[in-house]
């Protein structure tokens, strides 16, 4: 089982000022949905309210085979993000977020991986309990700790304090996935590959940088690899990074590498195939509206149609 900890919310998506359309979202919840659709057993610890938005989230998670911790339903309201899309499908977000970690929850026994990121790992009051859970899993050394900063400057404040907190979480992680846009905000004068090397030195076994249309880049102890982005007609980029994370974790799981020793033992050739697999999952998500990652069957069909061998089948 993969345990995901973090926010679930509703994206109210407007295209060039049009009427907003509600889509279930939230970076960690999107990762959980992506994993569930790819066939990975997944448990989500999140927070949403007993309102219409919360009901939409609950139905969405259930339909994607995500097991939700019972404490995730709170008495408060469901958080909302407003996403404005430009002509290229890129999103600009504003947030109305209420994040607390549900009381009396913990990582289920037998979890092979614990993933978190974005708002849940940086926004008080929930961020500190999330960090404590990650630190406990890191100390045990049994499950892979996975982290995606998925920076939201409007919520995280100045990059200096955000960088300090984010890099303290990088040091607790085995797998880190980050976008080049995040790195440009956190380290505006440094090259993305230089920062990836520096983050690897903090403790992870794998650091992956997604670069939009430029593809993705990864570095592990044995070396580095890159994979091109898959060319698809882009509807929007909402949830693409989260779909990539889900694809990466699922590719590790299917190769029986989703354990700390597996991450530490990666070689560049295997890393390249992992990046390529994750890129396909992200590309299919970009080809349709909202954070709507593919199912395992859709992924298999795409791979067959495009002559892609192996992968996550």
């Amino acid at each position: 089982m993969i345990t995901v900890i973090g926010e679930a919310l509703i994206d109210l998506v407007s295209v060039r000022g049009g009427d907003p359309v509600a889509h279930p979202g939230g970076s960690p919840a999107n990762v959980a949905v992506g994993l569930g659709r790819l066939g990975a057993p997944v448990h989500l610890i999140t927070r949403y309210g007993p309102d219409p938005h919360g009901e939409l989230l609950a139905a969405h998670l259930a339909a994607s085979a995500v097991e939700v911790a019972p404490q995730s339903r709170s008495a408060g309201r469901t958080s909302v993000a407003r996403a404005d899309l430009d002509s290229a499908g890129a999103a600009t977000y504003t947030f109305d977020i209420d994040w607390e970690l549900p009381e009396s929850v913990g990582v289920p026994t037998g979890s092979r991986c614990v993933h978190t990121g974005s708002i849940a790992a940086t926004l008080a009051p929930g961020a500190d309990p999330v960090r404590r859970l990650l630190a406990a899993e890191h100390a045990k050394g049994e499950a892979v700790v996975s982290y995606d900063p998925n920076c939201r400057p409007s919520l995280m404040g100045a990059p200096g304090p955000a960088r300090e907190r984010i890099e303290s979480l990088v040091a607790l992680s085995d797998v880190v996935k980050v976008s080049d846009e995040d790195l440009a905000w956190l380290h505006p004068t440094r090259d993305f590959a230089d920062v990836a090397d520096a983050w690897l030195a903090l403790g992870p076994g794998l650091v992956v940088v997604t670069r939009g249309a430029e593809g993705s880049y990864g570095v592990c102890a044995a070396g580095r690899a890159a994979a091109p982005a898959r060319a698809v007609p882009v509807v929007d980029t909402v949830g693409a990074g989260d779909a990539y994370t889900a694809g990466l974790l699922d590719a590790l799981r299917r190769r029986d590498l989703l354990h700390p020793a597996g991450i530490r033992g990666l070689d560049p050739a295997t890393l390249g195939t992992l990046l390529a697999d994750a890129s396909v999952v992200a590309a299919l998500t970009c080809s349709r509206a909202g954070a709507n990652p593919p199912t395992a069957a859709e992924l298999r069909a795409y791979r067959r149609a495009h002559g892609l061998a192996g992968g996550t089948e």
Side-chain angles (χ1 to χ4, degrees), residues 42-262:
V42 59
H43 179 84
L44 176 64
I45 302 170
T46 190
R47 187 176 190 276
Y48 56 85
D51 50 31
H53 284 160
E55 295 303 321
L56 178 59
L57 279 168
H60 175 66
L61 294 166
S64 298
V66 177
E67 175 187 274
V68 179
Q71 301 95 324
S72 296
R73 183 182 290 272
S74 75
R77 59 187 171 79
T78 301
S79 296
V80 171
R82 290 172 175 81
D84 293 311
L85 303 183
D86 63 20
S87 58
T92 301
Y93 290 92
T94 56
F95 297 93
D96 181 12
I97 301 291
D98 183 18
W99 168 244
E100 294 183 52
L101 195 67
E103 294 183 7
S104 304
V105 296
V107 175
T109 301
S111 293
R112 297 171 59 186
C113 174
V114 180
H115 172 79
T116 193
S118 198
I119 296 165
T122 54
L123 184 66
D128 285 344
V130 170
R131 191 186 192 285
R132 286 194 292 270
L133 284 177
L134 290 193
E137 293 303 313
H138 174 75
K140 291 177 188 175
E142 298 172 357
V144 168
V145 176
S146 168
Y147 174 55
D148 177 3
N150 201 359
C151 298
R152 303 303 188 192
S154 63
L155 290 174
M156 294 181 179
R163 183 169 59 244
E164 181 177 349
R165 182 173 191 91
I166 285 168
E167 292 185 346
S168 74
L169 293 170
V170 169
L172 295 174
S173 302
D174 299 290
V175 174
V176 177
K177 178 250 136 187
V178 63
S179 72
D180 58 355
E181 291 182 350
D182 290 342
L183 292 182
W185 181 66
L186 291 167
H187 291 283
T189 64
R190 297 175 66 181
D191 179 73
F192 74 87
D194 174 52
V195 180
D197 285 343
W199 281 15
L200 191 76
L202 292 176
L206 172 62
V207 177
V208 173
V209 183
T210 54
R211 305 183 62 217
E214 299 300 314
S216 55
Y217 168 91
V219 58
C220 61
R224 58 205 72 236
R230 298 293 304 180
V232 294
V234 175
V235 174
D236 65 49
T237 62
V238 176
D242 303 323
Y244 188 102
T245 300
L248 178 64
L249 295 177
D250 189 61
L252 286 163
R253 179 187 72 93
R254 290 183 181 275
R255 289 175 172 81
D256 198 25
L257 294 170
L258 197 59
H259 49 87

